């Protein structure tokens, strides 16, 4: 689907671009969402440029993602998509500055685009140029990325409390509790990893964008891009700090699981040691030899029971005295 946004903020859907069709003269932003090859060909004919395909946007070389060709600026950034789901991923979005128009090509619908479209009418009409809209769009994308990072940090803080437990409320954890939390940690790690990749991509786009002539001529858009670039830098540093916290949380969870397993093994080890002397006593007096001194002892049975109890109690209190229990 192709939508043209004019300088008067009225969106115009262009579901069918025939050979005789033409773009509105006041169209400042052309948004292509999951375009077909026919739609790409029509846009190329109308704008006189070659738009990157879905396969072209997957290239990771900077020269293939950021370049100027025939006076048009081509930028490709990786944006975080479906951050609220269990499987966040990156989607490549192409930004093209041609003349006074902005062209975007995307095969997903990140929330930042919906936020930008909703706020488009608040941009003054004289500021609705391709460069200014691109700067505003990148600002919205970075703001949305910051919101995702903030939500992730809040969720990690809650997860940290669940992993380490409440020191005031002594609540016994259910079985496999920490093992389930490891899945949550892995999910947050994936989100943060994709977010850092997106910030790195946006940083390269902003650095390249600040150097183009069209941006140098628009002082307000240039200042906005500089501010957005500083925001990206601070978010990247904060994301690195949060990544360290996730690593610590993962190591702590594994350590706590190991401690719990060692405690279980310790209980079995102590139980085996405590019951070893009574077993020895029972084994000795369970032998059926004919000539045994205590065989005809009238109080042999209660005495052997008492001896087994005493032999079990003494090691138990000895372990308590040593602090092993």
């Amino acid at each position: 689907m192709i939508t043209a946004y004019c300088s008067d903020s009225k969106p115009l859907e262009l579901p069918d671009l025939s050979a005789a069709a033409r773009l509105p003269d006041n169209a400042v932003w052309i948004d292509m969402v999951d375009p077909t090859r026919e739609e790409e060909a029509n846009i190329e004919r109308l704008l006189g440029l070659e738009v990157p395909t879905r396969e072209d946007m997957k290239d990771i070389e900077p020269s293939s993602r950021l370049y100027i060709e025939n006076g048009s600026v081509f930028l490709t950034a990786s944006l975080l998509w479906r951050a609220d789901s269990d499987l966040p991923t990156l989607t490549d979005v192409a930004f093209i500055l041609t003349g006074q128009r902005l062209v975007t090509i995307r095969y997903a619908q990140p929330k930042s685009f919906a936020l930008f479209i909703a706020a488009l009418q608040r941009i003054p009409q004289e500021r609705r140029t391709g460069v200014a809209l691109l700067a505003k769009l990148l600002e919205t994308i970075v703001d949305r990325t910051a919101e995702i990072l903030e939500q992730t940090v809040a969720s990690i803080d809650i997860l940290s409390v669940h992993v380490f437990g409440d020191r005031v409320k002594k609540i016994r954890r259910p079985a496999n509790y920490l093992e389930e939390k490891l899945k949550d940690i892995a999910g947050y790690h994936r989100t943060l990893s994709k977010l850092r990749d997106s910030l790195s991509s946006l940083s390269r786009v902003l650095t390249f964008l600040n150097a183009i002539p069209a941006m140098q001529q628009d002082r307000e858009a240039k200042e906005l891009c500089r501010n957005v670039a500083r925001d990206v830098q601070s978010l990247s540093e904060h994301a690195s700090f949060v990544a360290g916290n996730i690593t610590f949380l993962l190591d702590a969870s594994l350590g706590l699981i190991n401690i719990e397993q060692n405690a279980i093994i310790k209980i079995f080890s102590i139980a085996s040691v405590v019951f070893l002397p009574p077993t020895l006593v029972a084994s000795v007096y369970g032998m059926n030899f004919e000539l045994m001194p205590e065989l005809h002892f009238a109080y042999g049975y209660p005495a052997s029971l008492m001896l087994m109890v005493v032999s079990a109690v003494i090691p138990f209190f000895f372990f308590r005295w040593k602090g092993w229990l």
Side-chain angles (χ1 to χ4, degrees):
M1 183 181 69
I2 301 177
T3 304
Y5 295 88
C6 303
S7 57
D8 55 2
S9 296
K10 293 181 180 179
L12 178 61
E13 291 189 5
L14 306 174
D16 183 20
L17 289 176
S18 61
R22 58 187 300 271
L23 292 173
D25 294 334
N26 60 344
V28 292
W29 176 28
I30 301 171
D31 186 25
M32 305 173 63
V33 182
D34 200 9
T36 63
R37 187 63 195 118
E38 182 181 358
E39 290 175 334
E40 291 176 349
N42 288 327
I43 288 295
E44 290 176 351
R45 174 182 55 82
L46 293 172
L47 297 179
L49 52 85
E50 184 177 354
V51 300
T53 63
R54 191 171 193 171
E55 290 72 21
D56 295 336
M57 291 189 292
K58 291 182 179 180
D59 293 337
I60 61 175
E61 298 87 354
S63 59
S64 300
R65 298 172 71 91
L66 310 169
Y67 60 94
I68 299 177
E69 185 176 82
N70 297 328
S72 300
V73 181
F74 295 80
L75 311 167
T76 302
S78 299
L79 307 184
L80 190 61
W81 181 42
R82 297 190 299 188
D84 300 330
S85 66
D86 295 333
L87 192 63
T89 185
L90 291 177
T91 179
D92 294 320
V93 178
F95 305 89
I96 305 174
L97 281 176
T98 174
Q100 293 297 318
R101 285 175 174 156
L102 169 65
V103 181
T104 56
I105 306 172
R106 53 195 175 101
Y107 294 88
Q109 298 192 17
K111 189 176 180 180
S112 53
F113 276 79
L115 295 174
F116 179 72
I117 292 172
L120 186 60
Q121 58 183 348
R122 294 198 294 268
I123 301 177
Q125 189 168 353
E126 62 274 8
R127 293 298 304 158
R128 293 171 192 161
T129 62
V131 173
L133 290 180
L134 178 56
K136 286 287 186 180
L137 178 56
L138 290 175
E139 181 187 30
T140 305
I141 292 172
V142 173
D143 289 344
R144 171 58 182 164
T145 304
E147 181 183 352
I148 296 172
L149 180 59
E150 182 180 355
Q151 293 173 353
T152 304
V153 170
S155 299
I156 292 174
D157 289 340
I158 296 175
L159 179 61
S160 177
V161 174
H162 290 168
V163 169
F164 292 103
D166 194 339
R167 299 181 62 182
V168 178
K169 299 179 181 179
K170 302 295 183 179
I171 302 176
R172 185 178 179 84
R173 292 172 176 169
N176 300 326
Y177 180 82
L178 290 175
E179 287 80 352
E180 291 297 327
K181 294 304 176 184
L182 288 178
K183 298 179 182 179
D184 296 335
I185 295 175
Y188 293 133
H189 180 271
R190 176 182 175 85
T191 300
L192 192 62
S193 176
K194 298 298 182 182
L195 188 143
R196 294 176 70 183
D197 290 341
S198 178
L199 288 173
S200 177
S201 175
L202 289 171
S203 178
R204 291 193 296 267
V205 166
L206 288 166
T207 302
F208 186 87
L209 188 61
N210 279 324
I212 66 173
M215 186 60 67
Q216 298 293 330
Q217 297 172 2
D218 194 323
R219 185 174 181 180
E220 185 175 341
K222 181 181 179 181
E223 185 64 25
L224 178 59
C225 280
R226 285 181 177 177
N227 293 334
V228 174
R230 285 193 290 266
D231 291 341
V232 169
Q233 179 64 27
S234 62
L235 288 175
S236 299
E237 294 174 357
H238 187 54
S240 299
F241 171 75
V242 177
N245 289 342
I246 291 181
T247 302
F248 166 75
L249 193 59
L250 176 61
D251 294 339
S253 300
L254 294 175
L256 290 174
I257 292 174
N258 189 36
I259 290 174
E260 290 183 354
Q261 292 176 345
N262 289 339
I264 296 173
I265 296 174
K266 178 181 177 182
I267 292 174
F268 282 105
S269 300
I270 293 176
S272 62
V273 173
V274 168
F275 287 104
L276 182 60
T279 304
L280 177 62
V281 174
S283 299
V284 170
Y285 290 105
M287 294 184 292
N288 296 321
F289 292 112
E290 183 177 355
L291 299 177
M292 291 182 64
E294 300 88 351
L295 187 60
H296 300 288
F297 182 45
Y299 299 101
Y301 178 70
S304 62
L305 291 180
M306 182 63 66
L307 183 59
M308 285 188 286
V309 171
V310 172
S311 63
V313 169
I314 290 177
F316 175 79
F317 282 103
F318 178 76
F319 293 154
R320 290 286 299 271
W321 175 63
K322 284 291 188 179
W324 298 343
L325 284 176

